[in-house]
Amino acid sequence: MAYSQVRLKILPSARCFFDKLVQIKVEGLAPHRPVELRSKLVDDRGLHFKASALYKSDETGQVDVCTAPSLGGSYTGVEPMGLFWAMAPDTPHNKLLKKNVLSPTLVEVEALHGETGELLASETNEREFMAEGMARIPLQEGKLRGVLFIPPGKGPFPAILDLYTLGGRLTEPRASLLASKGFVVLALAYYRYQGLPENPQHLDLEYFQEALTYLRSRLEVKGPGIGIISTSHSGALALAMSSFLSGITATVCINGCNANTVIPLHYRDLVIPPLPPDIGNVRITESGLIDIHDALPDPALEKYRASLIPLERASCQFMFAAAEDDQNWNSALYAEQAAATLREHGKQSFQLVTYPKAGHFLDVPYMPFCPSGIHSAVGMEVVFGGEPKAHSEAQLDLWERVQRFFRSHLDSKQC
């Protein structure tokens, strides 16, 4: 084989948004020969993530990952983006960390001789988060801490408040990618970030109210209604905001709980206590990881109802998204209970979507699957559940649903 003739192509361009599908093709191979494709990246902590797949070239000496099946490796079958979602960390129990969205994530893709392992060709996919002309504005207004993303072009734009999961600090990839779709997005931190409390004894709903007020004050924001997107622990915060605060039109709750958890939530004279965990329900998996799926009691039980978020007070539209194999907690039960509460009060203002075999971190498309990691509340490695392919498919489906949901409801109507 004349290896110098082998070309690896990433189409339509080697530069794209993180949530976009690309076509990987290898040309110039000998017909019907084995070839291994490898992908690798280094995240913002310096951790290495890798995937590999075995292919066989066709009669023309080509491999098109969009049509050819992988015969082994990190995944099998026809998976156009398998080299991305199937990447796993060299150091187990770590989620890919992207702190600086001003720079793209660089994914190196290599083609190697399937028998000798010799490198035949390579190319780098630059997966971006920031659209050209988008503004990224660090926020330090009063107590507020976060980052505001403003799309390019002439506004005003519909606005979304992005709340991520427990652990504090700030996560910007989802917010920046949503902004690239034409939304003003405020990624809001609520502890362990730029002077916010490291271990707050309680959370004040007034802080989140201040964030909504700030968003509405921006000239780039269409208003009057604001959207909220939340994940995990912040789900209850989003539900509480929707129940007690005005001006919220559409709320997405991804693998959240319909009751408050971990930290007491205060609003004026009201205190919503967290569900008390039952350590006796924690178990150890065969692989030695902690399974906390059943650590929290059923919030619908009478003795725990003080922790429930009074969703019946809300007048906005909801999307509840739940992974059925979420091992962090029983997301599907919580989503069903939230929907039932609205139904019981004569409200049909919600969508409920569940994903079999998906795990806890339903993130943006093609984010590498994270089956386990350090849990902020537990302080140890826990299992998050899910199967890689099903989880990846869920992320892609949910991403499209979220955008349609916000576009449908973030108009000029007052909540």
Side-chain angles (χ1 to χ4, degrees):
M1 182 190 301
Y3 295 157
S4 61
Q5 297 179 358
V6 178
R7 297 287 183 270
L8 191 153
K9 297 180 179 180
I10 299 177
L11 304 170
S13 170
R15 196 175 183 96
C16 65
F17 281 113
F18 190 93
D19 62 333
K20 292 301 182 184
L21 180 146
V22 291
Q23 180 184 21
I24 296 175
K25 294 182 70 174
V26 185
E27 301 174 344
L29 300 162
H32 308 296
R33 303 299 295 177
V35 60
E36 181 182 8
L37 295 184
R38 294 179 183 173
S39 59
K40 56 185 178 182
L41 67 80
V42 181
D43 80 354
D44 287 356
R45 281 170 301 192
L47 294 181
H48 292 251
F49 288 72
K50 298 175 183 176
S52 65
L54 300 174
Y55 289 90
K56 181 175 283 189
S57 60
D58 64 16
E59 63 276 4
T60 68
Q62 294 189 46
V63 171
D64 183 344
V65 174
C66 287
T67 57
S70 166
L71 306 175
S74 301
Y75 60 91
T76 57
V78 179
E79 297 292 341
M81 293 296 287
L83 287 169
F84 297 85
W85 58 254
M87 281 193 284
D90 280 354
T91 306
H93 318 307
N94 278 289
K95 190 177 188 300
L96 188 147
L97 180 66
K98 182 61 179 174
K99 291 190 291 187
N100 179 16
V101 297
L102 294 173
S103 65
T105 291
L106 303 179
V107 181
E108 185 178 354
V109 182
E110 299 176 334
L112 298 96
H113 191 288
E115 295 168 341
T116 67
E118 183 176 354
L119 179 65
L120 304 177
S122 67
E123 185 63 80
T124 298
N125 185 198
E126 300 182 29
R127 304 187 65 78
E128 297 184 298
F129 298 88
M130 298 282 291
E132 185 175 350
M134 184 192 297
R136 177 190 178 274
I137 304 172
L139 175 61
Q140 288 189 330
E141 294 271 341
K143 297 178 182 177
L144 294 180
R145 297 292 184 270
V147 173
L148 182 70
F149 294 94
I150 301 174
K154 182 176 174 59
F157 305 98
I160 299 169
L161 184 69
D162 186 310
L163 300 170
Y164 207 66
T165 188
L166 188 68
R169 296 175 289 276
L170 196 67
T171 302
E172 300 181 30
R174 181 172 67 187
S176 57
L177 288 171
L178 275 175
S180 75
K181 313 297 182 184
F183 300 97
V184 171
V185 186
L186 172 57
L188 184 69
Y190 54 94
Y191 74 109
R192 291 183 187 169
Y193 183 81
Q194 293 188 351
L196 294 174
E198 284 294 306
N199 295 291
Q201 298 306 299
H202 67 272
L203 297 172
D204 290 313
L205 206 56
E206 285 86 354
Y207 174 80
F208 302 92
Q209 188 171 32
E210 187 178 338
L212 293 173
T213 300
Y214 169 80
L215 259 182
R216 278 193 289 268
S217 74
R218 298 288 309 200
L219 295 178
E220 302 91 346
V221 169
K222 180 179 178 181
I226 303 295
I228 305 174
I229 185 167
S230 60
T231 297
S232 191
H233 175 263
S234 67
L237 295 174
L239 299 185
M241 292 170 67
S242 305
S243 301
F244 291 104
L245 308 180
S246 62
I248 299 166
T249 300
T251 298
V252 174
C253 181
I254 302 170
N255 284 337
C257 184
N258 57 327
N260 188 37
T261 61
V262 186
I263 307 171
L265 181 61
H266 291 197
Y267 182 55
R268 297 176 179 169
D269 296 330
L270 176 69
V271 177
I272 303 179
L275 283 175
D278 184 349
I279 305 303
N281 287 336
V282 174
R283 66 183 187 87
I284 306 298
T285 68
E286 292 181 1
S287 60
L289 295 174
I290 297 174
D291 186 340
I292 59 171
H293 179 271
D294 299 319
L296 293 180
D298 184 347
L301 295 176
E302 185 63 35
K303 59 183 175 178
Y304 301 121
R305 294 185 69 84
S307 296
L308 277 175
I309 307 299
L311 274 180
E312 63 276 7
R313 295 173 51 108
S315 56
C316 60
Q317 295 286 328
F318 289 100
M319 175 186 286
F320 304 112
E324 293 182 7
D325 194 39
D326 183 355
Q327 295 302 307
N328 181 77
W329 53 21
N330 198 339
S331 293
L333 172 66
Y334 302 150
E336 289 162 3
Q337 288 184 351
T341 296
L342 293 174
R343 279 195 213 98
E344 289 164 5
H345 287 83
K347 298 182 177 183
Q348 298 297 324
S349 53
F350 65 89
Q351 301 175 27
L352 172 60
V353 56
T354 58
Y355 295 103
K357 300 181 181 179
H360 186 60
F361 286 111
L362 286 176
D363 219 311
V364 298
Y366 315 124
M367 184 67 73
F369 176 56
C370 177
S372 60
I374 299 289
H375 193 287
S376 296
V378 180
M380 299 177 69
E381 293 161 352
V382 306
V383 60
F384 289 127
E387 297 179 6
K389 179 182 177 180
H391 190 89
S392 174
E393 292 171 347
Q395 289 186 152
L396 184 59
D397 180 82
L398 179 58
W399 186 236
E400 297 302 322
R401 287 178 184 268
V402 163
Q403 293 173 61
R404 289 197 302 268
F405 176 76
F406 282 134
R407 287 201 180 95
S408 173
H409 298 298
L410 291 183
D411 54 22
S412 59
K413 297 175 185 176
Q414 176 65 53
C415 179

